[in-house]
Amino acid sequence: MGTDCDLLIVGAGPAGTAAAMYAARQGLTSIVVDRDTFPRDKICGDALSGKALAVLDELGLLEGTAALEGSEINRVLMASPEHVGLSVDLRDRRHHDPLTGRDLPLRGYVIRRRVFDHFLVREARAQGIEVREGFAVKDLVRDEGGRVVGVRGHRTGGSGNGNGHRGPEETLTARVVLGCDGFNSIVARRAGLYSHDPPHWVVALRCYYEGVTGTTDEIELHFVDEVRPGYFWIFPLENGGANIGIGMVHSEMKRRDVDLKGALEQVIGRPPFAERFAEARRLERPVGWNLPVGSRRRPCHGDGFLLLGDAASLIDPFTGEGIGNALYSARIAAEVCREAVDEGDTSAAVLGRYEDRLWDALGPELKVSYQMQRMGRVRPLLNFVIGKGARSPKVSEHICGMMANAVPKKELTSPLYYLKLLFA
């Protein structure tokens, strides 16, 4: 049976565009579709970690990313519920990425997704990849045996919400369909793999501000009592702007009956933050989104399809960062799709290699991050570890080593580690 392309990619965010670029390197053809038109906003913390930068460097996009409007990050501040801050300086350090083999200066960026995702779409097109904007997928197409072989959808007129001009239904066929369409993935839903699991789901709010004082080249994570296990963040942006937000595990939010908007207002309005926000101006109403975190392994493949990024629930349970893992999934997905096409077999059995390799690469780190998230429920432990790091250069150095992948993060979950801290 003829097909329109090798890979039909639903979603033109980081996972989708990177998957198309990696696929092109593998000699595979792709069509990327997205219900929105670009540039468009995407609710996010906007942070790019060392892991994300390693993949972007491999794709030849790091220099272009660094030139985008945003803020370079050279330090990370973690503050305890008692408001003791541990500031980790990333300068003069390197990050080794085990997947790509890249060894890069340890730094990050905060770049609005409206800017970053548009950059990725332009770069994909520059590489000859077809990107169809304003195309809403409504269902999957299956063959007589039930294998996914394409999608049905229609042009939206670019509104992205179904309220614009609706064109006639179109069918696009492919050897493999990649669901890169976020936490509310239509591919996951139509494939029967979508599930809302409150203990493994974070709810967050983002709000752009200007005029917040004290922002530098540092991202700030404040483990405030209002949303433990979770945190309040202040991420610097260009021209004195800031990405401000708050997030919490959904099951705990329900159990404690926490209103996130109220919690955000309370935190901003009390010490030590009230003074920093006294002259600040809010640029939007707080907007919320859901983060399915990778604290448990969920199925992300089937006959003829794969799920990537947020659609595969790959968000870090502790930090809430998802772009790096989404880019990892893109790299692995393209590799497995090349094998499946070569073998003429896009069954779940063959595509299951993707899920296995994905969890081989990310599983240990996600497991540790989940344990760290659970430890974040214990207020005295947070106060102890962060306080010790703030007072001890040796402990601060060790935590920086973990961030650079020079020291295993799993040490943070060992009781012996905290015993050692007593004497550090």
Side-chain angles (χ1 to χ4, degrees):
M1 183 180 78
T3 59
D4 293 307
C5 55
D6 294 315
L7 307 183
L8 194 289
I9 301 174
V10 182
T17 49
M21 292 183 216
Y22 274 120
R25 292 185 172 198
Q26 296 278 358
L28 299 174
T29 59
S30 300
I31 298 175
V32 184
V33 300
D34 197 291
R35 63 184 297 118
D36 285 316
T37 56
F38 292 77
R40 58 93 175 97
D41 185 30
K42 181 75 171 180
I43 310 168
C44 182
D46 297 330
L48 299 174
S49 66
K51 182 187 296 182
L53 299 187
V55 176
L56 292 169
D57 183 56
E58 186 176 52
L59 289 171
L61 302 177
L62 185 55
E63 185 176 341
T65 298
L68 296 175
E69 189 176 52
S71 178
E72 182 174 330
I73 300 302
N74 293 303
R75 293 182 298 162
V76 177
L77 172 73
M78 292 177 282
S80 71
E82 292 182 342
H83 305 299
V84 174
L86 162 60
S87 183
V88 178
D89 195 325
L90 308 179
R91 290 169 292 189
D92 300 322
R93 300 180 183 275
R94 301 189 72 81
H95 164 80
H96 177 72
D97 184 77
L99 186 72
T100 65
R102 255 46 185 180
D103 192 66
L104 299 168
L106 182 59
R107 66 180 187 275
Y109 294 94
V110 180
I111 300 171
R112 298 173 196 258
R113 291 288 298 277
R114 179 180 179 86
V115 174
F116 179 62
D117 289 12
H118 191 206
F119 162 74
L120 294 178
V121 168
R122 294 197 309 270
E123 289 296 319
R125 285 194 169 124
Q127 296 180 26
I129 296 164
E130 182 179 353
V131 182
R132 298 191 186 185
E133 302 176 54
F135 185 93
V137 172
K138 294 301 180 183
D139 207 349
L140 300 176
V141 177
R142 298 178 184 270
D143 65 14
E144 292 181 356
R147 181 172 60 96
V148 173
V149 294
V151 301
R152 291 191 186 91
H154 59 82
R155 299 282 180 174
T156 66
S159 70
N161 57 19
N163 295 325
H165 172 71
R166 177 171 178 154
E169 184 177 275
E170 298 179 47
T171 297
L172 298 173
T173 58
R175 289 181 169 85
V176 185
V177 172
L178 305 187
C180 307
D181 46 342
F183 76 89
N184 201 28
S185 168
I186 186 67
V187 177
R189 287 178 179 274
R190 294 294 184 260
L193 296 184
Y194 177 89
S195 65
H196 181 88
D197 192 353
H200 304 279
W201 201 275
V202 170
V203 181
L205 291 179
R206 181 209 75 191
C207 189
Y208 287 134
Y209 271 81
E210 65 179 8
V212 179
T213 61
T215 59
T216 60
D217 59 348
E218 180 176 69
I219 63 172
E220 304 175 39
L221 311 178
H222 298 272
F223 297 96
V224 296
D225 287 322
E226 285 85 348
V227 291
R228 278 186 307 106
Y231 61 84
F232 165 66
W233 72 80
I234 301 175
F235 292 175
L237 281 167
E238 73 283 351
N239 302 321
N243 181 319
I244 307 299
I246 200 164
M248 187 177 188
V249 176
H250 191 204
S251 58
E252 283 296 302
M253 191 177 79
K254 290 170 60 178
R255 185 182 68 82
R256 290 169 48 187
D257 194 25
V258 173
D259 171 46
L260 276 188
K261 288 186 179 180
L264 181 61
E265 291 176 3
Q266 181 175 334
V267 171
I268 287 173
R270 67 163 174 83
F273 307 107
E275 184 175 351
R276 296 181 62 182
F277 283 83
E279 303 298 326
R281 185 168 73 92
R282 195 175 70 183
L283 302 178
E284 62 177 350
R285 292 184 178 180
V287 284
W289 82 107
N290 295 287
L291 294 85
V293 296
S295 44
R296 72 175 179 88
R297 178 169 172 166
R298 310 185 205 200
C300 55
H301 79 285
D303 287 323
F305 74 92
L306 301 174
L307 301 178
L308 282 64
D310 292 6
S313 304
L314 299 179
I315 296 170
D316 188 283
F318 184 66
T319 66
E321 198 269 335
I323 296 176
N325 288 348
L327 294 174
Y328 260 43
S329 70
R331 189 183 193 273
I332 296 169
E335 176 186 270
V336 171
C337 286
R338 177 71 268 177
E339 295 172 9
V341 170
D342 285 347
E343 295 170 23
D345 185 353
T346 58
S347 66
V350 172
L351 294 180
R353 298 172 192 170
Y354 160 75
E355 189 172 314
D356 290 339
R357 293 177 196 175
L358 184 66
W359 281 89
D360 283 346
L362 296 178
E365 182 177 331
L366 289 172
K367 181 179 179 180
V368 170
S369 290
Y370 181 47
Q371 291 171 323
M372 291 168 64
Q373 181 210 90
R374 292 177 64 84
M375 287 163 46
R377 304 166 193 258
V378 184
R379 192 178 194 272
L381 188 59
L382 273 175
N383 287 327
F384 170 66
V385 175
I386 295 176
K388 194 72 176 180
R391 296 188 301 272
S392 168
K394 181 179 178 181
V395 175
S396 177
E397 180 82 7
H398 198 257
I399 290 175
C400 190
M402 293 182 189
M403 299 178 73
N405 284 339
V407 179
K409 291 187 180 72
K410 64 182 180 182
E411 289 197 19
L412 276 174
T413 65
S414 167
L416 182 60
Y417 178 72
Y418 299 100
L419 181 62
K420 290 177 181 177
L421 282 187
L422 287 171
F423 304 101

